[in-house]
Amino acid sequence: MKFGWVHVLLLLHLSYLTNRLILAQEDQEQATPSAPPPSVEKCNGIFLSYQFLSRTKEYPRLKNATAQGWAFQSTATILNTGMVELEAWEIYIGFQHREVLVGAEGAILVGSDDFPADASNGTHLSGSASSVLKTAADTAGDLDQMQVQIKLTGTQFGVKPPRIPMPKTIKLVNPGYKCPAVKTHKTAMWVCCTKEKIKRKPKKVVKTKFFPRQEGDLSISYDITAAYDSSYMALVTMENNSPLGRLDHWNLTWEWMRGEFIYSMKGAYTRLVDYTDCIYGAAGQFYQQMDFSNVLNCQKKPIISDLPKERANDTKIGKVPNCCRNGTILPKLMDPSQSKSAFQMQVYKLPPDMNRTAINPPQRWKIVGLLNPEYKCSAPIRVAPTEFPDTSGLQFSTLAIATWQIVCNITTRKAKTSRCCVSFSAYYNESVIPCNTCACGCDDTSTCNEDAQAMLLPSEALLVPFSNRTAKAKAWAKLKHFRIPKRLPCGDNCGVSINWHINTDYKTGWSARITLFNWQEINFENWFTAIQLKKTSSGYEKAYSFNGTLLKDHKNTIFLQGLVGLNFLMGETNGTNPKSDPKVPGKQQTVISFTKKHHRRVNIVKGDGFPSKILFNGEECSLPKRIPIANGNHCHVNLLHVALPVFVAFALMGLKNQY
């Protein structure tokens, strides 16, 4: 059989198409959606499922499979199959393949992270518009009200086809629910989370159509005090409920989800007065007769700060209860009257929300302080309206039109991201163990080693900035015969450092000295520090220069604050001769005494006298990874040099007696 040139061309074209199809299959994997798992029929609670849909190889195309990126698509579904409404739902997806989440349609990231977000250690998602999943009984089986589907898009690394990049787990985070181990089949993962059985008799709760108020370290209330067709008045109140948390110079931010903008504000101010987004956006098209030069802020994510104390009685921007404290929110333990901060604002809306009842609070709340703990905030939940007592003294209260609550809790910072650090020293060791290298991060590591252990220092070196310690550290190392690394360790880069020094140790007690150093130019008013010791906190007796309290209900934490008139930790100042002398930090110091009455077996030298945790203004400080050893002051003497002269002297004395 003879083939003409036409047949040859057809064969070549067919071969080309076949190769293209093979390459396309390698670059793009389309998973066949699994059928709904049969266990959903047996679930009496909240049914969670995760469905991997597809992925496509991304640029650059790499030979290293672990470094190759893949764009993936998946869905997460939350279905209420129980008899109780799920209020303010929140789920956790345990991603494990260095995922970068690019979108989550139908949900928002908890913690105010912006897309793209690093989800390599898992991520928390909550409802964006409505976070209530109703029951089948209340909706006649309407799935639109019973479930929510979240469309996820992102990038994952290191899983080459035909393997499927599934997460480790999915679970419901809401308190009161228990989730067993997940079940997985090919591209699907599911779990049925059920209500936990309460062993003790539950407290009587008055049933209302609103969610119960939640407890947390910081509670934010979003109260609607007046409502109109196109705008509303809101009162935002922040209350500190943590005995060890606080905020200084707070900055609050959120994200408007439906085009709202801030027309005016009292008790606080936006960091940027900008109305250009309104003029060139949907607001400008709808409010064509509005003078936008009077609008305060049109940003989708405004940043709001507290007013200084001097503006508290300003009739235009002040005169709001609990406002104007320069951004300071203290623990109730220190001063209950300063544990709140509030401001009010007028918010304008856009269609289709042009009626009095169409009010949607902003999402993705986040609050930060100058040198304070890191907070993670939940999504707003609708709660019973706040009651406001009559200011004239009459015995009646006014209810807010609507109230939403946002709960923020203190989180643990990652390594090398703290903003204060601790050094250790003791009377039995001449060297000071300084703060950890890069304890508060390192921006420039070109001239230093960020992984090297910090060099031991003489005690006087604690009084000078790190940039002036190099010569002292080298001289001390030479004197004590310590090794000097070729590439010196980086500094701690902390704005506040604390030295914990073991002062004395005797049979019935011991004492320590704590010194606070402020390396910043700002002053800390009404500062506090909290110390936790694993074994010896309960032996606390007295702080001689600070006001000290033992918090037995909080892991025997020792709470220290300045005495009246000494509650300022001043900022860094210039030396006597600014041209030659280093800057001098602000400093506060006290001695603390302890008893061993109930702790006879404690060993201060072996580590029982050193804290397991120290906080400054609520921020957990970085602790050294070692403690001073007990032979630090012992003289290193060659035994031969001592024994030989003694032996010779005795020999000569013996010869003398013979003669």
Side-chain angles (χ1 to χ4, degrees):
M1 184 178 180
K2 295 183 179 180
F3 290 92
W5 61 270
V6 176
H7 297 87
V8 174
L9 289 175
L10 288 172
L11 288 172
L12 290 173
H13 184 64
L14 181 61
S15 175
Y16 170 76
L17 291 177
T18 303
N19 290 333
R20 292 282 296 177
L21 181 61
I22 293 172
L23 290 173
Q25 288 177 342
E26 291 179 352
D27 290 348
Q28 182 171 358
E29 180 190 8
Q30 188 79 23
T32 302
S34 303
S39 54
V40 68
E41 302 293 337
K42 301 177 182 179
C43 181
N44 184 6
I46 305 299
F47 188 80
L48 307 180
S49 62
Y50 178 90
Q51 177 72 57
F52 174 78
L53 298 178
S54 65
R55 60 173 168 176
T56 306
K57 186 182 287 187
E58 295 179 341
Y59 293 105
R61 307 295 173 86
L62 304 173
K63 294 182 179 179
N64 184 359
T66 59
Q68 178 63 55
W70 296 81
F72 74 91
Q73 292 183 349
S74 61
T75 59
T77 304
I78 312 165
L79 174 62
N80 187 354
T81 59
M83 297 299 294
V84 181
E85 281 189 358
L86 178 62
E87 306 164 347
W89 62 262
E90 181 179 338
I91 64 169
Y92 170 78
I93 303 178
F95 290 115
Q96 58 177 335
H97 302 293
R98 292 182 290 159
E99 284 86 352
V100 177
L101 208 56
V102 177
E105 184 181 339
I108 61 171
L109 292 171
V110 177
S112 300
D113 294 319
D114 291 328
F115 294 113
D118 180 12
S120 56
N121 293 321
T123 187
H124 290 257
L125 299 170
S126 64
S128 54
S130 174
S131 55
V132 183
L133 297 182
K134 296 185 177 181
T135 65
D138 292 338
T139 62
D142 184 1
L143 288 177
D144 291 337
Q145 301 182 61
M146 293 168 55
Q147 75 171 8
V148 61
Q149 281 193 334
I150 307 167
K151 297 180 181 179
L152 301 169
T153 56
T155 300
Q156 61 87 19
F157 294 88
V159 181
K160 186 178 181 181
R163 293 175 57 203
I164 300 173
M166 296 293 288
K168 282 184 180 180
T169 186
I170 53 173
K171 62 181 179 180
L172 188 68
V173 182
N174 294 58
Y177 282 89
K178 184 178 181 181
C179 298
V182 297
K183 296 181 180 180
T184 305
H185 178 69
K186 295 183 179 180
T187 61
M189 174 183 289
W190 64 90
V191 65
C192 177
C193 302
T194 56
K195 275 278 190 180
E196 288 183 314
K197 294 181 179 179
I198 302 175
K199 295 181 180 180
R200 63 183 184 276
K201 188 177 180 180
K203 297 180 180 179
K204 290 184 178 180
V205 179
V206 179
K207 290 186 177 181
T208 66
K209 61 181 179 180
F210 304 107
F211 303 157
R213 290 183 181 261
Q214 307 295 311
E215 295 181 356
D217 294 324
L218 182 74
S219 179
I220 304 176
S221 182
Y222 193 81
D223 296 302
I224 308 303
T225 56
Y228 313 99
D229 288 342
S230 60
S231 67
Y232 64 85
M233 300 295 296
L235 176 67
V236 181
T237 305
M238 294 159 279
E239 183 175 5
N240 184 12
N241 298 317
S242 171
L244 301 178
R246 68 177 283 168
L247 285 163
D248 295 285
H249 303 281
W250 56 257
N251 285 328
L252 177 67
T253 185
W254 58 62
E255 183 174 347
W256 295 113
M257 307 303 290
R258 304 180 68 85
E260 298 95 337
F261 60 91
I262 302 172
Y263 185 84
S264 62
M265 183 175 289
K266 296 182 70 175
Y269 66 99
T270 58
R271 300 302 293 265
L272 182 66
V273 178
D274 182 19
Y275 49 87
T276 54
D277 289 346
C278 285
I279 293 177
Y280 296 106
Q285 296 178 4
F286 183 76
Y287 294 104
Q288 295 185 5
Q289 305 301 320
M290 179 179 287
D291 181 5
F292 283 98
S293 64
N294 296 322
V295 172
L296 183 65
N297 186 278
C298 292
Q299 290 178 296
K300 188 175 183 180
K301 298 179 182 179
I303 301 175
I304 300 163
S305 299
D306 194 15
L307 288 170
K309 296 179 180 179
E310 304 82 55
R311 309 302 289 270
N313 294 319
D314 192 307
T315 55
K316 291 184 178 181
I317 59 175
K319 290 288 185 179
V320 176
N322 298 314
C323 87
C324 315
R325 290 171 178 160
N326 209 23
T328 297
I329 305 178
L330 297 178
K332 294 177 181 178
L333 178 68
M334 293 184 69
D335 189 349
S337 66
Q338 296 191 48
S339 63
K340 290 184 180 181
S341 188
F343 63 91
Q344 66 182 31
M345 60 183 178
Q346 184 177 11
V347 179
Y348 270 80
K349 305 178 292 182
L350 291 179
D353 299 330
M354 305 306 290
N355 63 73
R356 297 183 181 184
T357 59
I359 298 174
N360 296 280
Q363 303 288 330
R364 295 184 181 176
W365 290 66
K366 187 174 184 178
I367 189 166
V368 296
L370 180 66
L371 199 157
N372 303 118
E374 186 175 17
Y375 289 88
K376 185 177 182 180
C377 299
S378 67
I381 59 172
R382 184 79 179 268
V383 295
T386 303
E387 294 186 15
F388 299 101
D390 178 60
T391 56
S392 66
L394 296 178
Q395 299 298 312
F396 74 90
S397 299
T398 303
L399 287 178
I401 296 172
T403 299
W404 284 265
Q405 184 195 25
I406 301 93
V407 176
C408 304
N409 288 308
I410 297 173
T411 61
T412 303
R413 289 186 183 273
K414 296 180 181 179
K416 298 186 177 181
T417 61
S418 182
R419 288 185 279 184
C420 60
C421 64
V422 179
S423 61
F424 285 159
S425 58
Y427 70 90
Y428 47 79
N429 195 309
E430 293 179 338
S431 299
V432 173
I433 296 176
C435 292
N436 293 326
T437 303
C438 297
C440 299
C442 282
D443 296 328
D444 184 12
T445 58
S446 58
T447 58
C448 59
N449 188 348
E450 61 180 325
D451 298 318
Q453 191 176 61
M455 295 178 65
L456 300 178
L457 300 171
S459 57
E460 65 270 13
L462 294 177
L463 297 170
V464 296
F466 180 84
S467 57
N468 301 92
R469 292 181 187 175
T470 303
K472 291 181 178 291
K474 286 183 176 180
W476 188 251
K478 290 179 180 179
L479 179 65
K480 295 296 180 180
H481 305 290
F482 298 147
R483 187 182 69 86
I484 301 177
K486 292 182 179 179
R487 195 176 181 198
L488 296 178
C490 301
D492 55 71
N493 299 313
C494 294
V496 171
S497 63
I498 299 174
N499 174 247
W500 181 268
H501 178 81
I502 301 298
N503 213 33
T504 59
D505 182 23
Y506 46 95
K507 185 177 180 180
T508 59
W510 61 286
S511 66
R513 184 183 69 233
I514 184 171
T515 309
L516 314 179
F517 299 97
N518 183 7
W519 302 100
Q520 302 180 101
E521 295 182 355
I522 61 170
N523 303 326
F524 289 100
E525 184 182 3
N526 293 320
W527 57 267
F528 77 81
T529 184
I531 303 107
Q532 290 181 5
L533 298 105
K534 289 184 177 179
K535 294 183 179 180
T536 53
S537 289
S538 58
Y540 167 78
E541 285 186 323
K542 184 180 180 181
Y544 291 89
S545 301
F546 296 165
N547 185 7
T549 305
L550 180 63
L551 306 179
K552 294 183 179 180
D553 296 335
H554 298 278
K555 299 180 181 179
N556 283 329
T557 300
I558 302 169
F559 188 90
L560 302 175
Q561 57 180 314
L563 298 172
V564 178
L566 299 173
N567 57 347
F568 274 86
L569 180 59
M570 305 303 293
E572 191 179 51
T573 58
N574 291 324
T576 305
N577 188 347
K579 294 183 179 180
S580 58
D581 296 338
K583 289 190 173 183
V584 179
K587 188 177 71 171
Q588 289 272 20
Q589 185 182 81
T590 189
V591 173
I592 309 171
S593 62
F594 297 84
T595 179
K596 294 182 180 179
K597 183 178 180 180
H598 304 292
H599 302 277
R600 297 294 184 185
R601 294 183 179 181
V602 298
N603 193 324
I604 303 301
V605 175
K606 293 293 184 180
D608 292 340
F610 291 96
S612 58
K613 181 184 289 187
I614 290 184
L615 295 89
F616 177 80
N617 280 0
E619 169 76 3
E620 185 174 348
C621 302
S622 172
L623 293 177
K625 299 177 182 178
R626 47 185 173 157
I627 62 174
I629 57 177
N631 61 351
N633 281 343
H634 292 181
C635 298
H636 299 279
V637 181
N638 192 323
L639 185 62
L640 181 63
H641 294 164
V642 177
L644 184 61
V646 174
F647 176 77
V648 172
F650 274 103
L652 293 175
M653 290 175 64
L655 291 173
K656 183 177 180 181
N657 292 334
Q658 290 180 3
Y659 293 102

